[in-house]
Amino acid sequence: NPLLPRHGTTFHPSGGPMGGAGYVTLDGGTPGGYATSVVVSTQPGGGLVSAGTVSGVGVWFKAAPGTSGPLFGFTASPSNGAGDADRALYLDGTGRLRFAWNTTGAKIGPSGPSYTDGAWHFAYVTFGGVNVALVGVIPQVTLWVDGVEQATSPLLSLVPMTPYSGY
């Protein structure tokens, strides 16, 4: 929604990754790079036992050499970096991608190469798994970058996705 109040963002009408489409730059400040009028969402439940559901989220990004920090995430607070945070895709200090799926810090990565080369890249994370009552979701999490699988969780990961309402 372009009418939301935003902090630390600059809208560019062209030059993006898709045939000259627009894009947004984020300043990385605090507060910065987020919408202030957001809606809380609860992680959907799966009943007592469920399997076979796969979903994902992706982002186009470009980063300059030496850049690090989050590209997107799910958090318990509408403020940047406050409260529990997971489902977070971020560039580590070496420019490689990592993805955390649990508030305890369970993560996959790093990706093979560094992506702080100033070029556009598309990162996509898929979530699948089994939901078991009282255990939560036992995830199968895979990170893809530019159409190539870069990291995946172990076949049997007993670290569930943390269920909470968030932003």
Side-chain angles (χ1 to χ4, degrees), residues 29-131:
T30 301
Y34 68 95
T36 59
S37 299
V38 293
V39 177
V40 68
S41 177
T42 303
Q43 176 181 331
L48 292 178
V49 177
S50 63
T53 302
V54 176
S55 61
V57 62
V59 61
W60 280 100
F61 71 97
K62 82 175 172 178
T67 303
S68 64
L71 298 175
F72 65 76
F74 187 73
T75 182
S77 170
S79 299
N80 272 0
D84 290 334
D86 66 4
R87 280 94 154 172
L89 179 67
Y90 62 96
L91 287 164
D92 68 15
T94 66
R96 299 184 315 175
L97 289 169
R98 295 177 184 263
F99 181 78
W101 74 80
N102 182 291
T103 56
T104 63
K107 61 182 162 268
I108 57 172
S111 60
S114 170
Y115 293 100
T116 54
D117 57 6
W120 284 105
H121 298 283
F122 184 68
Y124 191 76
V125 179
T126 58
F127 313 91
V130 177
N131 185 39

Side-chain angles (χ1 to χ4, degrees), residues 116-156:
T116 54
D117 57 6
W120 284 105
H121 298 283
F122 184 68
Y124 191 76
V125 179
T126 58
F127 313 91
V130 177
N131 185 39
V132 180
L134 303 176
V135 176
V137 177
I138 300 169
Q140 178 65 42
V141 182
T142 305
L143 169 63
W144 302 83
V145 183
D146 298 332
V148 176
E149 182 179 314
Q150 291 294 323
T152 191
S153 60
L155 184 57
L156 181 58

